[in-house]
């Protein structure tokens, strides 16, 4: 019983650690500047 409790606690900590590291998201914005109308479009 004690081993099962320890394994459950370790698994829970691993899940929490994975969720905390998943929040480090880097956003990359890609844009393009060009005419939308007229002869150059």
């Amino acid at each position: 019983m004690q081993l099962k409790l320890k394994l459950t606690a370790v698994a829970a900590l691993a899940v929490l650690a994975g969720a905390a590291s998943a929040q480090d998201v880097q956003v990359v914005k890609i844009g393009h500047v060009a005419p939308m109308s007229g002869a150059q479009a």
Side-chain angles (χ1 to χ4, degrees):
M1 180 69 179
Q2 190 74 348
L3 178 63
K4 190 173 185 179
L5 178 63
K6 287 181 183 179
L7 287 175
T8 304
V10 169
L13 286 174
V15 168
L16 290 175
S21 67
Q23 293 176 359
D24 298 333
V25 176
Q26 182 179 6
V27 176
V28 178
K29 294 182 181 181
I30 300 173
H32 178 71
V33 179
M36 300 278 296
S37 63
Q40 305 251 331

